[in-house]
């Protein structure tokens, strides 16, 4: 999920925006519709006035119809139609009124005014896309149709909503299209990190992503040029060094003094070992292509390392089952184990190393004092505890470099007089 964090963020923003706009438009639609109904109800208060006057004056139904016709209102008279409308219509608004009827009466005390208050209920209905007004009083009721009035039309709001949703969707599609080069760029960077030195970051365009891609392309070319120059320089240096070392080794055999012969043989031998270790370091640090990595049994790699170390089998105890396998470069991983064997025998008090699997990890145990410095000190090049030891201080540095190329790290722990180095 972390790989697509930007894409997920954009999609989340799109979802939140669409939901927010939808909620706002829904609320606006409800409010607008209610305002429309309220305005109609208020404007059609004349219907209630006409009906109230009809009740007060006790006019005929013909007079009521005539008064309603002036405003294009139609009085529904068919009982079946009235029943259907009242049963199936949707109530839009309902309001109660009080009708006050004043009458002048005579009694023994003279004339007096009598007021009769009658409750009146007005209901606005919608049925078959027509608007009706149903007026009820305790004594009678009427259903009135407005022939000109139409129900609320929501198309204007829906059209505006769809236009805005379309604009937002198109905007986010354009954003996602702009992010596609970024996704491709990430994949190319991953390929370059895996060792494909010929991958091209070049991009067309003048936006920020294209500028970053072109800068990466220029940087890639510079890095490749530096790596090629470095590789060529190191290989030439090592080749030029091997020639005089070989000549010096041959010339050493011509010396008459055995003491001088042994001294020069040791010097040229150390020089040759140093050049070989430099060659391994150059190979490890420049290794990007892992096509030569294959699956091997750990016991086979350990046997190869023991043979390379040229030590007695009695100095090694191996407790590794044949079922344990690893995907590795055989020669480099063998060299790493060989260096650990040499290091363990050299610094142990009994010249013995035990190789075992501890917690699904390869471990090397040897008896001796705990290392004097943190492990990080020893994996730096040309560092060692005892300068008198026959070493260049590159052993653990080379081991650490090989393990990093295999996506592993070197760890150390000390327990009950045992130094334990672990390939974790």
């Amino acid at each position: 999920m972390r790989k697509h964090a930007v894409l997920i963020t954009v999609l989340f923003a799109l979802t939140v925006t669409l939901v927010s706009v939808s909620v706002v438009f829904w609320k606006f639609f409800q409010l607008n519709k209610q305002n429309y109904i309220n305005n109609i109800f208020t404007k059609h208060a004349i219907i209630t006035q006409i009906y109230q006057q009809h009740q007060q004056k006790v006019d005929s139904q013909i007079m009521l119809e005539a008064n309603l016709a002036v405003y294009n209102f139609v009085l529904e008279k068919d009982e079946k139609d009235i029943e259907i409308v009242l049963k199936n219509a949707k109530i839009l608004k309902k309001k109660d009124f009080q009708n006050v009827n004043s009458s002048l009466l005579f009694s023994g005390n003279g004339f007096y005014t009598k007021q009769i208050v009658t409750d009146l209920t007005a209901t606005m209905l919608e049925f078959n896309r027509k608007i009706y007004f149903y007026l009820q009083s305790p004594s009678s009721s009427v259903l009135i149709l407005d022939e000109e009035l139409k129900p609320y039309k929501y198309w204007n709001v829906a059209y505006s909503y769809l236009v805005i949703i379309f604009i937002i969707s198109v905007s986010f599609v354009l954003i996602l299209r702009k992010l596609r080069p970024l996704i491709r760029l990430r994949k190319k960077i991953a390929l370059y990190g895996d060792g494909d030195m010929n991958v091209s970051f070049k991009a067309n365009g003048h936006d920020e992503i294209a500028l970053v891609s072109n800068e990466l392309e220029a940087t890639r070319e510079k890095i490749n040029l530096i790596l090629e120059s470095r590789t060529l320089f190191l290989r030439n240096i090592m080749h030029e060094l091997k020639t005089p070392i070989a000549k010096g080794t041959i010339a050493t055999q011509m010396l008459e003094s055995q003491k001088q012969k042994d001294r020069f043989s040791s010097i040229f031998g150390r020089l040759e070992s140093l050049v070989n270790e430099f060659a391994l370091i150059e190979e490890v640090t420049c290794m990007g292509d892992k096509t030569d990595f294959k699956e091997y049994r750990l016991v086979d790699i350990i046997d190869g390392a023991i043979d390379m170390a040229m030590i007695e089998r009695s100095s090694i105890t191996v407790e590794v089952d044949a079922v344990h396998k690893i995907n590795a470069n055989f020669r480099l991983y063998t060299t790493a184990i060989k260096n650990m064997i040499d290091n363990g025998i050299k610094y142990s008090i009994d010249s013995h190393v035990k190789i075992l699997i501890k917690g699904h990890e390869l471990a090397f145990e040897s008896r001796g004092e705990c290392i004097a410095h943190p492990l990080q000190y020893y994996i730096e090049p040309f560092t060692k505890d005892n300068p008198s030891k026959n070493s260049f201080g590159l052993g653990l540095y080379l081991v650490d470099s090989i393990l990093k190329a295999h996506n592993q790290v070197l760890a150390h722990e000390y327990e009950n007089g045992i130094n334990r180095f672990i390939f974790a």
Side-chain angles (χ1 to χ4, degrees):
M1 185 173 290
R2 293 179 180 177
K3 293 182 179 179
H4 305 285
V6 175
L7 178 60
I8 292 174
T9 302
V10 172
L11 293 178
F12 176 76
L14 172 62
T15 303
V16 171
T17 303
L18 292 178
V19 171
S20 301
V21 170
S22 300
V23 171
V24 169
F25 264 90
W26 176 248
K27 294 295 183 182
F28 174 76
F29 165 74
Q30 291 179 319
L31 181 62
N32 193 46
K33 183 178 180 180
Q34 191 60 45
N35 288 337
Y36 177 79
I37 293 173
N38 292 338
N39 290 335
I40 292 175
F41 198 86
T42 302
K43 290 180 179 179
H44 287 68
I46 186 67
I47 297 176
T48 306
Q49 296 176 6
I50 293 173
Y51 183 66
Q52 288 176 340
Q53 291 175 1
H54 168 70
Q55 285 190 322
Q56 291 173 357
K57 296 179 180 180
V58 194
D59 292 335
S60 65
Q61 188 173 355
I62 295 177
M63 183 61 69
L64 175 60
E65 292 179 17
N67 290 334
L68 292 173
V70 174
Y71 300 97
N72 294 320
F73 299 144
V74 176
L75 180 65
E76 292 288 346
K77 293 179 287 185
D78 191 311
E79 293 296 333
K80 290 184 178 180
D81 291 342
I82 293 174
E83 184 179 355
I84 292 174
V85 171
L86 294 179
K87 184 177 181 181
N88 301 296
K90 178 182 178 182
I91 299 176
L92 299 180
K93 188 170 182 178
K94 188 175 183 179
K95 188 174 182 181
D96 295 325
F97 300 91
Q98 285 187 334
N99 180 22
V100 181
N101 187 10
S102 300
S103 301
L104 183 63
L105 301 176
F106 179 77
S107 66
N109 296 325
F111 291 96
Y112 67 94
T113 301
K114 182 180 181 180
Q115 290 185 340
I116 300 175
V117 179
T118 305
D119 292 331
L120 180 66
T121 301
T123 307
M124 183 176 175
L125 305 172
E126 178 184 341
F127 180 70
N128 285 344
R129 300 193 59 78
K130 295 179 181 179
I131 300 298
Y132 295 87
F133 292 88
Y134 182 54
L135 304 178
Q136 295 173 283
S137 67
S139 59
S140 64
S141 63
V142 292
L143 183 65
I144 301 170
L145 169 65
D146 187 341
E147 292 184 322
E148 294 183 351
L149 188 62
K150 299 297 180 183
Y152 175 76
K153 296 180 179 180
Y154 57 86
W155 284 111
N156 290 334
V157 176
Y159 176 76
S160 302
Y161 170 73
L162 292 176
V163 169
I164 293 179
I165 291 297
F166 176 76
I167 293 173
I168 293 174
S169 300
V170 170
S171 301
F172 275 93
V173 168
L174 294 177
I175 292 174
L176 292 177
R177 288 191 62 184
K178 286 293 183 181
L179 288 176
R180 287 182 62 187
L182 186 62
I183 297 174
R184 291 196 295 266
L185 179 61
R186 180 186 64 81
K187 292 180 179 179
K188 289 181 179 180
I189 293 175
L191 289 175
Y192 187 74
D194 289 338
D196 187 357
M197 310 303 289
N198 297 319
V199 63
S200 177
F201 299 110
K202 192 173 182 180
N204 298 323
H206 301 284
D207 58 4
E208 290 80 357
I209 297 178
L211 292 175
V212 171
S213 299
N214 292 328
E215 286 297 329
L216 280 173
E217 175 64 14
T219 303
R220 180 192 70 85
E221 293 177 352
K222 293 178 182 178
I223 291 175
N224 286 356
L225 183 61
I226 292 172
L227 289 176
E228 290 175 1
S229 301
R230 172 182 174 278
T231 302
L232 182 62
F233 172 77
L234 288 175
R235 289 178 179 175
N236 286 337
I237 286 293
M238 286 186 289
H239 176 73
E240 294 299 326
L241 284 174
K242 284 185 177 181
T243 301
I245 290 173
K247 291 181 178 179
T249 302
I250 295 173
T252 298
Q253 303 303 320
M254 300 178 182
L255 294 175
E256 296 181 357
S257 173
Q258 186 63 37
K259 184 177 180 180
Q260 290 182 347
K261 184 184 294 186
D262 293 339
R263 181 179 298 172
F264 280 105
S265 294
S266 175
I267 293 173
F268 287 118
R270 285 171 58 82
L271 287 175
E272 186 174 5
S273 298
L274 182 60
V275 171
N276 290 334
E277 288 192 6
F278 278 148
L280 275 175
I281 292 172
E282 188 270 339
E283 181 181 351
V284 173
T285 54
C286 294
M287 184 178 62
D289 185 12
K290 297 185 179 181
T291 56
D292 56 347
F293 278 41
K294 296 180 181 178
E295 189 175 65
Y296 299 97
R297 296 191 308 170
L298 264 177
V299 290
D300 295 333
I301 298 179
I302 294 172
D303 287 341
I306 294 173
D307 293 338
M308 186 185 297
M310 293 184 294
I311 58 174
E312 297 293 334
R313 288 277 175 169
S314 58
S315 299
I316 303 291
T317 300
V318 179
E319 295 182 359
V320 177
D321 294 333
V323 296
H324 293 284
K325 296 181 180 180
I326 185 173
N327 192 51
N329 179 303
F330 187 87
R331 189 170 66 86
L332 292 179
Y333 211 82
T334 300
T335 302
I337 294 178
K338 174 257 182 186
N339 282 6
M340 294 307 304
I341 293 173
D342 287 341
N343 186 78
I345 292 177
K346 188 181 299 180
Y347 292 99
S348 66
I349 58 177
D350 56 0
S351 299
H352 187 273
V353 174
K354 182 179 180 181
I355 304 176
L356 69 159
I357 295 295
K358 190 175 181 64
H360 303 288
E361 296 172 338
L362 187 63
F364 302 84
E365 295 182 351
S366 58
R367 293 190 174 276
E369 296 181 1
C370 182
I371 56 178
H373 303 282
L375 180 62
Q376 185 63 33
Y377 171 82
Y378 297 97
I379 60 178
E380 295 294 329
F382 302 107
T383 55
K384 50 185 178 179
D385 261 349
N386 190 352
S388 64
K389 294 283 185 180
N390 187 22
S391 170
F392 300 106
L394 293 173
L396 292 184
Y397 169 73
L398 184 56
V399 170
D400 181 67
S401 300
I402 293 173
L403 291 181
K404 286 180 179 177
H406 289 78
N407 297 321
Q408 293 181 326
V409 294
L410 181 63
H412 172 265
E413 59 185 24
Y414 186 77
E415 183 181 9
N416 298 327
I418 295 177
N419 283 295
R420 183 180 296 113
F421 291 88
I422 303 170
F423 287 5

